[in-house]
Amino acid sequence: MPVITYRKALNDALAEELTRDENVVILGEEVAQYNGAYKVTEGLWKRFGDKRVWDTPISEAAFVGLGVGASMMGLRPVVELMFWSFAFVAYDQVVNNAGCIRYMSGGLINLPLVIRGPANGGTNVGATHSHTPESILAHNPGIKVVCPATAYDAKGLMKTAIRDNDPVFVMENTLLYGETWEVPEEEYLIPLGVADVKREGADISLIAHGRATITSLKAAELLAQEHNIHAEVLDLRSIRPLDEDAILRSVRKTHRAVLVDENKPFCAVSAQIATIIQQKAFDDLDAPVLRVCSLDAPAIYSPRLEKLQLPTPERIVEKVLSIA
Amino acid sequence: MEALLETRTAADAAINHELTSEKKIHFLRQMLRIRRFEQTALKQYQTSGQIGGFLHLYSGQESVAVGTLSLCGEDDHVVAGYRMHGHALAVGMSMNECMAELFGRATGCSKGKGGSMHFFAPDKNFWGGHGIVGGQTPLGLGLAFGLKYKGLKGCCLCYLGDGAVNQGAYHESLNLAALWDLPVIYIIENNQYSMGTSQDRSSAFQKCLAARAEAYDIAWDHVSGEDLYEVRAKTWQAMQRAHAESHPTVLEIATYRYYGHSVSDANAKKYRSPEEIEKYRTLHDPIQLWQQRLMDEGILTAAQATELDNAAAAEAEEAVRFAKESPLPNPADIFTDVYSEVDRQTPAGRTGKFFFND
Ligand SMILES: Cc1ncc(C[n+]2csc(CCOP(=O)(O)OP(=O)(O)O)c2C)c(N)n1
Ligand SMILES: [Mg+2]
């Protein structure tokens, strides 16, 4: 099977969907002639031309809103935010328009829109550029949110997102763009709302999404080698819709859970998972559900400290050892 | 619309006429310090592995910060975007605190918490350092509002790029500035590109970007950044308008950046030709032009200029040494400076739970 980068997997997904459906159109800052600030859209403008791939001014409110409006007309816009952190400039378009219009129209209007871009800390770009807004966006019914952790998932989820008839926000990660995974050549789709067991284990469940999945896999390896603890790593992949069954299945098997999340702890994705577990699997638990989140402060710049602010394999191991 | 001041008269404008030789040489010193600071920072970025994230260099644009900020008095305030190392040094921040910030040290101007895009020095009326494009434009409005509210005869210089003019927040700010007569001066540093996008591919306008101000009935002017005298003369007109009449102004200053958008601009030489960059470096460099001017005026010798440059380079090297020898913040510092009440342990800061680390 070919081994490709997360970036290339996304690029392939976009190219395939641009080819398949002429209503797919790509919009964003530097996505065309510059080939994308992070090169996710590399070559697409050259290949598909001006009508399909558009460089926008630095006007997020306008071009995100344009995407929402164009989706009303039946286009399938894929709008890139250079960083998801910049969504806050377009928050009204994202939450009120993308999130509420279908409902307020009594279902008369569909919004087949994708907004995508990186949403992560860990690159020393300071607090304004390091937000992880999947929790606050998934908070809004009407919006779908996915956070792929591997190239395979990135491609399959992106293609599904583009074909979906609701707004889907794809949150990528600049620290993963250059990482490689096996990705089959033949076409595949990954349904939204289906989690993936990335590593089987019987002793404890590590439940994560996005890059926290990769951190959890490293922790699971340490736990196995140094402590003879076999952790299962469940990658949520999709935050909303959420694969509740997979979460409960894993917890019923291991009876212990540590939730790993790059969100800040308050109302993080992991907070929602914790409430589901305590409500629906209370009797299966042998220990309290614990979390490893980003340390609760705006993202610090200082490179060596920012490393500590995000979940690390060591912090996960420590949490696991406290209950296993 | 403002009558355009003739370039050749800029040197004779009262605000320039009264300059002492010492002052003029000081402007050269400041521009050289900015240039050397950034060249040194770039080298450290590439070799030390201790500077992270972005590094947006100002080289080529020094005359804008030095010229405009040379006019500031006690009640004039400043807010800028992320390409603001020049402004920071021009308002009097030290190379040490700026370099240490880039190195993420506790001795940095923001204690290593802000990084390259987020320098602050409120004691010098410098309110940042803002990473979100256009995000500073309403802040400039608010600083001006505060000045007017307090009855102070000052203004706010708010800097933005030629790409930032397309943010909604900027347009909303222009409307309020005019509607409420606020003493804010928007200074568009037009270096012709927003990342890899040329001005023509990003903005619809008549005449120039500043001319959009006409729609809001705001005075505007277009300024050549090559000429420090012109920068000062035209900025001073705007500042007088703000001080005396509390009216806003939009200034557009033509300038150029030599390096890529940030250090990791893979296409820095693709969206513009190497010849174009070379042309600006050799024929339009504001530092060389100012230096030549002072020599023509007979107040500077080549030897003095070299001496100033060497001193600037040595100061930058010293700042690197200072930064490298400075301590990092402690992990516990991650949680300070979030809430004022908590830092000061006031009753308000001791009531309720503020942090949610399990
Ligand atoms: C709201 C927002 N959108 C996008 C960015 C990414 N970005 C940072 S700088 C920049 C270009 C800005 O160009 P310009 O305003 O001309 O300023 P210059 O960099 O030339 O000084 C872009 C797109 C951002 N920081 N904030
Ligand atoms: Mg620019």
Side-chain angles (χ1 to χ4, degrees):
Chain A
M1 212 185 288
V3 173
I4 63 171
T5 61
Y6 186 100
R7 169 187 288 116
K8 179 72 167 61
L10 288 165
N11 183 272
D12 287 350
L14 296 172
E16 287 174 23
E17 295 307 297
L18 279 162
T19 306
R20 194 187 60 83
D21 182 349
E22 65 178 23
N23 283 321
V24 175
V25 35
I26 292 185
L27 300 150
E29 291 156 16
E30 309 290 352
V31 296
Q33 298 191 24
Y34 193 90
N35 279 317
Y38 288 100
K39 301 277 174 277
V40 171
T41 56
E42 186 158 28
L44 298 180
W45 174 67
K46 207 163 187 186
R47 182 166 158 204
F48 295 96
D50 285 333
K51 191 181 175 199
R52 310 293 301 284
V53 186
W54 295 75
D55 276 327
T56 65
I58 313 170
S59 309
E60 283 83 1
F63 70 75
V64 169
L66 180 152
V68 180
S71 76
M72 294 175 173
M73 286 292 288
L75 302 194
R76 290 184 175 273
V78 179
V79 179
E80 171 173 311
L81 288 168
M82 198 179 283
F83 283 69
W84 261 103
S85 288
F86 308 155
F88 300 146
V89 169
Y91 208 56
D92 177 52
Q93 301 305 321
V94 165
V95 173
N96 277 327
N97 285 348
C100 301
I101 283 180
R102 181 166 204 282
Y103 188 73
M104 295 188 301
S105 75
L108 296 176
I109 296 172
N110 289 330
L111 305 169
L113 165 76
V114 171
I115 307 179
R116 53 154 290 271
N120 59 281
T123 59
N124 327 131
V125 287
T128 55
H129 282 53
S130 306
H131 294 289
T132 53
E134 61 268 26
S135 51
I136 53 173
L137 290 172
H139 175 83
N140 302 283
I143 288 169
K144 299 177 178 175
V145 180
V146 299
C147 299
T150 67
Y152 177 84
D153 292 337
K155 183 174 182 190
L157 289 169
M158 181 62 74
K159 285 171 67 82
T160 307
I162 293 172
R163 298 183 195 190
D164 198 274
N165 286 317
D166 293 311
V168 183
F169 299 171
V170 182
M171 308 218 171
E172 305 159 8
N173 192 308
T174 52
L175 292 171
L176 298 179
Y177 281 147
E179 301 283 308
T180 53
W181 283 271
E182 287 192 337
V183 175
E185 244 158 312
E186 55 278 8
E187 175 163 79
Y188 64 95
L189 296 169
I190 298 174
L192 310 185
V194 180
D196 183 41
V197 177
K198 288 275 192 291
R199 179 181 173 122
E200 301 254 11
D203 299 336
I204 188 161
S205 302
L206 301 179
I207 303 177
H209 66 274
R211 183 168 164 272
T213 304
I214 309 303
T215 317
S216 299
L217 286 167
K218 288 182 187 150
E221 191 57 34
L222 289 176
L223 286 165
Q225 283 182 7
E226 295 172 13
H227 304 281
N228 199 28
I229 293 173
H230 301 283
E232 175 149 299
V233 177
L234 180 68
D235 175 12
L236 297 173
R237 296 201 290 204
S238 168
I239 307 302
R240 188 171 186 139
L242 181 71
D243 191 346
E244 197 173 282
D245 291 344
I247 296 168
L248 296 173
R249 214 178 302 130
S250 183
V251 172
R252 286 185 179 130
K253 174 173 148 193
T254 65
H255 309 291
R256 285 178 169 79
V258 168
L259 316 180
V260 187
D261 189 347
E262 292 192 355
N263 282 172
K264 303 286 154 47
F266 195 102
C267 296
V269 169
S270 54
Q272 180 62 32
I273 311 301
T275 203
I276 290 170
I277 296 173
Q278 73 82 22
Q279 195 184 331
K280 302 196 173 165
F282 188 78
D283 291 335
D284 297 289
L285 287 173
D286 287 343
V289 176
L290 299 181
R291 300 193 295 161
V292 177
C293 293
S294 283
L295 298 182
D296 200 10
I300 194 167
Y301 158 68
S302 193
R304 274 187 262 173
L305 272 92
E306 198 191 4
K307 270 210 184 78
L308 305 178
Q309 196 170 5
L310 294 174
T312 57
E314 293 72 28
R315 264 170 66 204
I316 299 170
V317 168
E318 197 186 304
K319 273 281 187 254
V320 168
L321 294 181
S322 75
I323 53 168
Chain B
M1 182 193 139
E2 189 61 23
L4 295 180
L5 200 75
E6 287 287 328
T7 307
R8 68 173 176 286
T9 66
D12 299 325
I15 194 72
N16 290 327
H17 200 69
E18 67 198 24
L19 284 171
T20 60
S21 306
E22 233 164 56
K23 262 276 173 206
K24 293 180 188 180
I25 291 171
H26 181 60
F27 298 155
L28 178 62
R29 178 184 299 116
Q30 283 185 301
M31 291 198 286
L32 288 167
R33 287 178 67 240
I34 296 169
R35 180 77 50 98
R36 287 298 186 182
F37 174 85
E38 293 206 309
Q39 287 172 341
T40 308
L42 174 62
K43 199 173 104 210
Q44 288 299 320
Y45 190 102
Q46 291 163 338
T47 57
S48 77
Q50 295 184 42
I51 303 178
F54 298 136
L55 186 66
H56 305 95
L57 301 178
Y58 195 59
S59 296
Q61 304 185 205
E62 293 90 343
S63 57
V64 179
V66 169
T68 54
L69 293 167
S70 66
L71 299 161
C72 285
E74 202 181 331
D75 290 324
D76 296 313
H77 291 252
V78 184
V79 66
Y82 47 85
R83 195 182 300 285
M84 52 69 213
H85 302 157
H87 310 73
L89 295 175
V91 300
M93 290 174 73
S94 71
M95 280 200 200
N96 280 2
E97 61 184 319
C98 294
M99 193 66 82
E101 187 61 31
L102 296 180
F103 276 80
R105 305 296 162 139
T107 52
C109 54
S110 301
K111 305 179 198 160
K113 294 183 174 181
S116 167
M117 300 192 286
H118 308 114
F119 289 3
F120 297 86
D123 62 323
K124 300 183 174 64
N125 293 0
F126 183 65
W127 299 96
H130 296 274
I132 298 296
V133 167
Q136 74 279 21
T137 53
L139 298 179
L141 196 64
L143 290 161
F145 181 89
L147 286 168
K148 189 173 182 183
Y149 187 88
K150 291 182 170 180
L152 297 170
K153 275 221 171 314
C155 70
C156 179
L157 302 183
C158 178
Y159 297 82
L160 65 156
D162 51 290
V165 298
N166 297 315
Q167 277 291 339
Y170 171 58
H171 289 264
E172 297 180 26
S173 300
L174 288 182
N175 181 52
L176 264 178
L179 193 69
W180 290 357
D181 269 330
L182 297 175
V184 57
I185 299 169
Y186 288 107
I187 298 176
I188 304 168
E189 299 197 49
N190 189 342
N191 58 16
Q192 306 180 34
Y193 297 90
S194 49
M195 285 190 76
T197 304
S198 65
Q199 178 184 309
D200 289 342
R201 295 206 301 118
S202 64
S203 290
F205 59 93
Q206 294 181 328
K207 292 182 265 199
C208 66
L209 298 175
R212 287 176 174 179
E214 275 178 38
Y216 298 97
D217 199 19
I218 292 177
W220 62 273
D221 208 342
H222 191 274
V223 186
S224 164
E226 284 178 34
D227 180 0
L228 204 75
Y229 283 136
E230 184 178 333
V231 171
R232 278 174 46 89
K234 292 187 172 185
T235 306
W236 185 238
Q237 286 185 340
M239 289 177 78
Q240 283 178 305
R241 183 180 297 118
H243 291 167
E245 305 162 41
S246 188
H247 284 316
T249 302
V250 177
L251 294 177
E252 175 174 348
I253 306 187
T255 183
Y256 199 79
R257 73 164 149 79
Y258 299 155
Y259 293 106
H261 168 71
S262 176
V263 274
S264 56
D265 180 350
N267 297 339
K269 291 184 181 154
K270 286 190 193 154
Y271 51 79
R272 51 185 192 173
S273 65
E275 292 76 31
E276 179 184 305
I277 303 173
E278 202 43 38
K279 183 187 87 182
Y280 277 94
R281 270 184 183 278
T282 51
L283 301 177
H284 302 276
D285 182 60
I287 300 184
Q288 280 180 37
L289 290 171
W290 184 247
Q291 193 166 307
Q292 190 54 50
R293 184 132 199 179
L294 298 190
M295 299 212 286
D296 293 347
E297 289 182 16
I299 59 174
L300 181 82
T301 63
Q304 268 177 303
T306 308
E307 208 174 291
L308 289 175
D309 191 33
N310 289 343
E315 188 186 353
E317 284 306 329
E318 168 58 24
V320 170
R321 196 194 54 79
F322 171 80
K324 287 184 173 170
E325 287 177 2
S326 291
L328 289 169
N330 295 316
D333 294 333
I334 289 176
F335 305 111
T336 58
D337 303 315
V338 184
Y339 296 105
S340 147
E341 305 285 357
V342 174
D343 288 343
R344 291 182 295 130
Q345 278 297 297
T346 60
R350 284 184 270 116
T351 310
K353 186 173 163 73
F354 286 86
F355 296 99
F356 295 84
N357 301 299
D358 302 310

